[in-house]
Amino acid sequence: VLGLSCDGASPNRRLWKLHSSNDELVYKVPNVFADDGRDFYFISDPPHLLKTIRNSFYNRPLWCNDQLISWQHVVDLYYRDTAKAEDVRQVKKLKYEHVRLTSFSKMRVDLAAQVMSESVYKALISAKDKNVGETAKFILMIDKYFDALNVTNLNNGKHKIKSFQSPYTSGDDFRLKWMTDEFIPYLKSWEKGVEKRSGFTPQAKGMMIMARETRQGIDVTVKLFVEIVKFIFKIPGVKFFLSERISQDPLENFFGCQRQRARTAENPNALQFCKNSQAIRVINSVCGNVPKGNCHGRAQSIDVQDDKPLSKRRRVRKKETKLTVNENSVAKPLAETVPPSSVTKPVPEAVPPSSLSKPLPEVVSPSSVTKPIPEAVPPLQPGSQGEVLVNTYGIVLTRQDLLTVSNCGWLNDKIW
């Protein structure tokens, strides 16, 4: 265990401060239970950081290098792009829900990642508006930062041609140097530039930069991530590392499945929670991702190929039934498909010529055709309890089973 991952809620930050001797925010403590002397890290969840960065961008008039970093630039880009034909749009993923946020859409990571993306950066630069330069640069820096902390598989870097989404293969990866030598200095120079501005109150200057909790979360994440990657590649046999593993997305998906199972039960008790957890373990492949949750995980597709043809339905032949003709109590076999008008009495084998002119025997009326009455089943006689009474379709019923049913205790181990 290298550490715990959590969001920036005040109880979590208070836990971090309990391990600090001063007011500074710590990100690691000595692991007293580890034999190798490694540290235990407090990880700030990168997807939650991305949402708080986007929310600061949405709610605050950010100011950097004498230029405004404004959300209105993204809104103007959206309306300009939607006015074009569908084939020539630059940011097709940008929808109305991306630019007009609600209390629920602010919790969705995918909306934040699609706004703070390289495609939005390129669309802003192509507009050739000198007033959007710092906004475009800010979006590009956040896009690289999140890509470096959200490597999901081995192939995204190749397929999307984005080197920041490639898996980590060594402790000297170029992204670690970029975060410490470019990204963190960019944020520090931003803060120093705002502090030097005159004619503004401290509260107004605080609105020109990102929220203090968000800024602390970024610093902590960069420091601990660099140390974790270097430590992992010192372990023998480690070939690659996917940075998505430090996020708390699995926990988000688990509680999303819990809410999905509970439906209207907003406050389940311990017994209901345990039952839902057991059901989630059984149907984990079906309930892996919650469609309307605030955490959109990887799609786990199951490729099942079976070239065997479907089995044909077995043809059932119609059974012949015996009908009784009410004439001298003589039973004659008749087929089901023979109409009543065609049922006649049998003609003798040797027919004299003089009898050919005689009329045929009369037709048996349907009303005279009756079914035989089944014989009465004799009552059950006394016998041993292990005597088998029924043995059909793989079901065996003994006299003991009937005695069990007669006592209303039909859930018997001997039956099942």
Side-chain angles (χ1 to χ4, degrees), residues 400-414:
Q400 175 66 28
D401 299 332
L402 294 183
L403 294 176
T404 304
V405 175
S406 63
N407 295 330
C408 299
W410 55 275
L411 285 178
N412 195 327
D413 292 339
K414 294 186 178 180

Side-chain angles (χ1 to χ4, degrees), residues 65-354:
N65 294 333
D66 297 331
Q67 277 194 356
L68 191 64
I69 301 177
S70 175
W71 183 261
Q72 189 61 36
H73 296 157
V74 180
V75 177
D76 295 340
L77 172 64
Y78 165 73
Y79 284 111
R80 286 198 311 268
D81 196 61
T82 52
K84 301 177 183 178
E86 186 69 21
D87 296 338
V88 295
R89 287 190 59 185
Q90 292 179 291
V91 281
K92 295 182 179 181
K93 290 185 177 180
L94 208 60
K95 309 295 181 183
Y96 184 80
E97 60 183 353
H98 290 83
V99 298
R100 299 299 181 188
L101 301 180
T102 62
S103 58
F104 178 74
S105 61
K106 288 181 179 180
M107 299 299 296
R108 290 182 53 181
V109 182
D110 59 334
L111 298 183
Q114 289 167 358
V115 171
M116 314 298 290
S117 63
E118 187 178 5
S119 59
V120 175
Y121 159 77
K122 292 180 179 179
L124 290 173
I125 293 298
S126 64
K128 297 182 180 180
D129 185 358
K130 61 181 180 180
N131 295 324
V132 302
E134 284 300 323
T135 302
K137 182 180 179 181
F138 170 70
I139 291 176
L140 179 63
M141 297 293 283
I142 300 302
D143 174 67
K144 290 183 177 180
Y145 170 72
F146 184 66
D147 285 347
L149 298 178
N150 193 48
V151 180
T152 58
N153 55 60
L154 301 175
N155 300 318
N156 270 355
K158 298 177 182 179
H159 294 169
K160 298 182 179 180
I161 318 178
K162 297 186 71 173
S163 58
F164 276 75
Q165 290 189 355
S166 300
Y168 291 84
T169 56
S170 68
D172 299 327
D173 194 273
F174 72 96
R175 285 162 289 188
L176 304 180
K177 186 176 181 181
W178 176 85
M179 284 189 284
T180 55
D181 295 347
E182 293 187 32
F183 183 62
I184 296 299
Y186 165 74
L187 298 178
K188 290 183 178 180
S189 63
W190 180 359
E191 293 179 351
K192 291 181 181 179
V194 171
E195 291 178 359
K196 293 180 181 179
R197 298 194 69 183
S198 58
F200 296 93
T201 61
Q203 292 78 9
K205 291 181 179 180
M207 294 296 293
M208 296 180 186
I209 58 177
M210 289 183 290
R212 181 175 61 88
E213 293 80 6
T214 303
R215 183 70 176 84
Q216 290 178 346
I218 293 174
D219 287 341
V220 166
T221 304
V222 170
K223 292 179 182 179
L224 67 88
F225 184 75
V226 172
E227 294 187 12
I228 286 177
V229 173
K230 292 182 178 180
F231 172 79
I232 288 176
F233 283 100
K234 292 180 181 179
I235 301 175
V238 176
K239 297 181 179 179
F240 64 90
F241 171 66
L242 303 179
S243 57
E244 187 204 24
R245 302 305 180 185
I246 68 171
S247 69
Q248 63 173 14
D249 284 354
L251 187 63
E252 291 275 352
N253 288 329
F254 175 75
F255 282 104
C257 292
Q258 284 282 350
R259 290 189 292 269
Q260 191 181 54
R261 292 285 306 175
R263 296 184 182 273
T264 57
E266 298 180 353
N267 190 19
N269 54 31
L271 180 60
Q272 293 173 336
F273 185 86
C274 292
K275 289 183 177 179
N276 293 337
S277 300
Q278 183 66 19
I280 291 171
R281 292 189 188 100
V282 176
I283 60 172
N284 189 29
S285 60
V286 178
C287 190
N289 298 323
V290 184
K292 296 184 179 180
N294 60 355
C295 177
H296 288 216
R298 301 186 302 275
Q300 299 178 355
S301 61
I302 302 176
D303 186 13
V304 178
Q305 295 182 357
D306 190 0
D307 298 333
K308 295 181 180 179
L310 295 177
S311 58
K312 296 182 179 180
R313 186 176 62 179
R314 186 178 179 181
R315 186 175 180 179
V316 180
R317 295 182 180 180
K318 295 183 179 179
K319 297 181 179 179
E320 296 182 354
T321 58
K322 294 183 178 181
L323 300 180
T324 304
V325 180
N326 191 9
E327 183 178 347
N328 299 325
S329 300
V330 177
K332 302 293 182 180
L334 298 176
E336 290 183 356
T337 57
V338 179
S341 59
S342 63
V343 179
T344 59
K345 293 182 178 180
V347 181
E349 296 181 0
V351 181
S354 59

